[in-house]
Amino acid sequence: MGRIRIRSVAVAALALGVAAVGCSTSEDESGGTPTRVNTAMGATTFHAKGSTTAVAGGTQEIWSDPRQGMHIVITIGGTEPAGEMFCHGTDLYMSTDLAVESLRKAGGAAYDVPADLKQSFVRGPARDGCGMFYEVASSAKEDRKLAATVAGVPTTAIVAHQGTTTDTYFIAAKDKPYVLRLDSNRAGHVSTTNYDSFGAPVTIRLPTEDRIVSMKDFQTKATLPR
């Protein structure tokens, strides 16, 4: 019986499947739009819901508050139980079922998680902060042909490319430059996420310390199937 060889990159890989970021550069190539969008999004509460490229057939729902952090619920397939992620500061907390899904997606086997870890969260680094889940890449460029109306609001479409990943952000063209929709294509896996409830009250309860395990403890206790 072997032990899990989970590393922080495995958790980060699934997180990046949910994240809204494409490639970035030090120079804002879209007339300042990404900077304005990221400033506005980082200063407000919001809710988002849609499909995700993180897991096959998965859906995601996100709640964000610049002070409390972020809560993400992911449903794996149509009937599988939902997993959760939290982000606060530079810490990412992933439920153990999503940590296992991250390994499976990376080409590993399915792993057994002991009962005492079923309700736990694996702590890992969110090196770029929680903004990685919504920030527009500075390399994004406007594509006027893709401009559309989202939830009755005219938008500006800006697109970021990196390798086989394309992210198209639809930004409110009036008032605050919030992201209203994100269309992602990651190596042929597509998703659409809609954002709303900007400025509405949000309550986010991070996992308590007794439900948090380190990466080392998780890799020690989680095992290959017998």
Side-chain angles (χ1 to χ4, degrees):
M1 180 174 63
R3 293 289 182 182
I4 262 184
R5 293 294 182 263
I6 184 169
R7 298 173 295 170
S8 59
V9 292
V11 173
L14 184 55
L16 289 173
V18 182
V21 293
C23 55
S24 61
T25 65
S26 58
E27 180 181 359
D28 191 325
E29 300 177 11
S30 191
T33 297
T35 299
R36 291 188 296 106
V37 171
N38 295 341
T39 298
M41 292 290 286
T44 188
T45 60
F46 64 84
H47 167 262
K49 189 174 184 179
S51 49
T52 175
T53 59
V55 292
T59 61
Q60 64 180 341
E61 189 164 9
I62 302 170
W63 298 264
S64 182
D65 182 286
R67 295 172 299 174
Q68 300 179 68
M70 182 171 287
H71 181 199
I72 303 171
V73 174
I74 297 179
T75 300
I76 303 172
T79 59
E80 292 294 324
E84 296 178 276
M85 280 194 292
F86 291 87
C87 185
H88 186 262
T90 57
D91 287 325
L92 183 68
Y93 307 93
M94 181 177 292
S95 59
T96 52
D97 51 354
L98 285 185
V100 169
E101 174 64 13
S102 179
L103 290 173
R104 186 204 62 77
K105 186 180 180 184
Y111 292 86
D112 287 335
V113 177
D116 64 332
L117 287 184
K118 289 288 188 181
Q119 303 302 316
S120 297
F121 289 80
V122 181
R123 191 200 315 258
R127 293 185 178 88
D128 296 322
C130 303
M132 70 176 181
F133 291 100
Y134 60 82
E135 288 182 347
V136 176
S138 59
S139 59
K141 297 181 180 180
E142 181 178 356
D143 188 332
R144 295 184 179 182
K145 296 180 294 184
L146 297 178
T149 299
V150 178
V153 179
T155 68
T156 299
I158 57 178
V159 184
H161 301 281
Q162 182 181 37
T164 58
T165 294
T166 299
D167 289 327
T168 304
Y169 312 85
F170 295 87
I171 312 302
K174 298 180 179 179
D175 301 322
K176 295 287 187 179
Y178 294 139
V179 177
L180 300 185
R181 193 177 88 204
L182 168 66
D183 292 348
S184 293
N185 187 323
R186 287 174 165 77
H189 300 284
V190 298
S191 68
T192 295
T193 300
N194 292 287
Y195 295 74
D196 55 43
S197 303
F198 301 101
V202 173
T203 298
I204 296 173
R205 294 184 175 88
L206 299 173
T208 54
E209 281 297 325
D210 61 313
R211 296 180 64 196
I212 297 172
V213 296
S214 68
M215 197 71 66
K216 181 178 179 180
D217 286 345
F218 183 67
Q219 77 175 52
T220 297
K221 294 179 179 179
T223 61
L224 287 167
R226 295 178 181 274

